[in-house]
Amino acid sequence: MAFTSDFFDAYERHKHDADLLYHAQRWANADHLYGIAAECGLKYLMTVFGMAVDSSSGSPMDNRDKKHANGIWRRFESYRCGYSQGAGYALPPGNPFNNWDVSDRYAHQSEFQQHRTESHQIGVQIVTELIQKVRRDGLI
């Protein structure tokens, strides 16, 4: 049985676990989960800005939206720019997940250092701030 997507819950869960792993200096898994959290948080925001999802699965209808953190960062802009009130929700220049890839989960943990993980943690913080702004502004 497949579960229905809940991007906000997934964002919160992965961010929470990434933070726990970060504080335990488990850089590889923290890094991976920060990327997944950012992806889920941005997809949550994209639904606010009009991303169509399959009503039975919650999965994005457009295959271009079925991306991970490194690709969804760019895709978010197409929804934000197409939304009448989207001007106040721009991501800063530069994608902090350009060096993140979902396949990195297969890499040896010694490949991950604190600095890399911190850059992805900062990326998730940017997403967190946008989610908080959308909620304060009453769009959700």
Side-chain angles (χ1 to χ4, degrees):
M1 175 186 159
F3 294 105
T4 302
S5 297
D6 183 333
F7 295 122
F8 183 72
D9 180 73
Y11 148 79
E12 284 187 313
R13 180 179 73 238
H14 294 306
K15 182 185 178 308
H16 176 79
D17 288 352
D19 288 340
L20 291 173
L21 290 164
Y22 178 85
H23 292 297
Q25 299 182 1
R26 305 235 339 127
W27 312 128
N29 285 348
D31 188 75
H32 181 71
L33 289 178
Y34 281 133
I36 299 298
E39 170 192 341
C40 294
L42 288 172
K43 286 181 180 177
Y44 172 67
L45 290 168
M46 288 163 60
T47 62
V48 172
F49 297 146
M51 180 177 74
V53 295
D54 181 292
S55 61
S56 63
S57 69
S59 178
M61 297 288 285
D62 189 329
N63 282 335
R64 294 176 295 175
D65 299 332
K66 296 178 180 180
K67 304 286 183 214
H68 296 293
N70 51 338
I72 208 68
W73 195 267
R74 289 182 299 275
R75 187 71 181 138
F76 170 79
E77 284 298 304
S78 65
Y79 284 96
R80 183 196 65 79
C81 291
Y83 187 72
S84 62
Q85 297 173 317
Y89 304 97
L91 293 169
N95 179 350
F97 293 95
N98 274 337
N99 67 344
W100 185 96
D101 193 276
V102 73
S103 65
D104 291 344
R105 68 187 180 274
Y106 303 120
H108 192 276
Q109 62 186 329
S110 66
E111 298 291 323
F112 298 85
Q113 285 80 36
Q114 182 176 2
H115 181 265
R116 172 192 166 95
T117 303
E118 284 175 349
S119 70
H120 298 148
Q121 182 186 47
I122 291 167
V124 172
Q125 185 57 39
I126 292 167
V127 173
T128 298
E129 290 168 7
L130 281 178
I131 290 171
Q132 290 169 345
K133 180 174 174 39
V134 163
R135 291 185 150 205
R136 274 192 317 272
D137 293 348
L139 298 180
I140 299 174

